Structures are given as C-alpha cells and as structure tokens.
Amino acid sequence: MRVFVLLFNARTENEGIHTIQLGDRNKVLMFESEDDATRFGVMLEAQDFPEPTVEAIDDDEIKEFCNSVDYDWELIPAGALEIPPENNVTQTQWQPEPEPDLDLDSEVSQNELDSIRRRLEGLL
C-alpha cells in the first residue's frame, strides 16, 4: 500500500524524515491521504519548520526503515485530522539546507568577469 510521509531536504544527502518524539521513542507518521499529509506539513511550517516534501512510499518500505532504526510507526487514516505536538525538539538529526549565496563578491569586477568569459569562449 502507498502511504505519504513528510521528508525534509528530499532527494539530498541531508534528507530527513519527519518523526514525532514520544519520550525516548521516535514515531514516523504514514498518511493514507496525500491531502492529509500536506495539511500536516502546512501546520509544521506554521511552527517554524522548514517546508517538508510529501512523498508517496510503499508502507512496507517505511516499516522496514522503522525496524532498522528502532522507530515506531503509525498509520493515519484518510480524513483523520492529525495535529503536530506543540513541543518540538530543538536539535534535529538533519539540518536545513543552507540558502545558496547568490551575492557575488564585489572583489571580482564586471570587467574581470567579461575578460574571463571571453577567454573561455575562445577555448571553444
């Protein structure tokens, strides 16, 4: 069966799955409905989480993952309004991807960039 889970930094080296921490245990929520998973993700964003990605994954794959890392799992039926807990952990095992620094250093002038560009074009 396909279920929907929330991932942070999906398809990167720093990917993390959303879990609920209960005492010393972590629990992965598997949503039957993509809309319910999306709604839960929006509620997480309202709690200052980075934007999660809703991913469809086979439930057996999630269960196998949970067994391998000693996590619990819970299937959230379609239409159930799951609400994130008010308390959040302060340190995650994954970190938000840093924003790319698009601000070019002013040390490199436009003339130098144009010169480099011409030389590279000359190599072609």
Side-chain angles (χ1 to χ4, degrees):
M1 176 173 79
R2 298 299 271 176
V3 295
F4 299 90
V5 295
L6 300 175
L7 299 178
F8 297 102
N9 302 324
R11 294 174 290 287
T12 69
E13 296 275 331
N14 192 24
E15 185 175 72
I17 190 166
H18 177 267
T19 63
I20 303 286
Q21 190 172 38
L22 301 168
D24 65 343
R25 303 287 301 162
N26 286 301
K27 176 172 55 174
V28 173
L29 300 180
M30 300 186 304
F31 293 87
E32 284 185 339
S33 164
E34 183 175 12
D35 288 342
D36 293 341
T38 300
R39 187 176 305 109
F40 188 85
V42 169
M43 288 189 277
L44 286 176
E45 283 184 82
Q47 292 182 345
D48 294 326
F49 272 84
E51 181 180 357
T53 302
V54 175
E55 290 283 329
I57 300 178
D58 188 73
D59 68 330
D60 288 333
E61 189 176 333
I62 296 296
K63 291 173 186 177
E64 184 178 311
F65 166 76
C66 288
N67 287 334
S68 71
V69 293
D70 196 29
Y71 285 0
D72 299 325
W73 55 269
E74 180 180 350
L75 182 62
I76 308 300
L81 180 59
E82 187 69 22
I83 298 174
E86 290 184 27
N87 296 328
N88 296 315
V89 295
T90 55
Q91 181 63 36
T92 60
Q93 293 177 351
W94 58 272
Q95 297 305 315
E97 289 290 305
E99 293 294 322
D101 187 13
L102 299 179
D103 184 27
L104 295 175
D105 281 338
S106 58
E107 296 174 12
V108 179
S109 72
Q110 187 62 41
N111 288 338
E112 289 177 271
L113 289 175
D114 289 339
S115 173
I116 293 169
R117 185 177 300 115
R118 283 191 300 277
R119 286 186 291 185
L120 288 173
E121 289 172 353
L123 292 174
L124 296 175

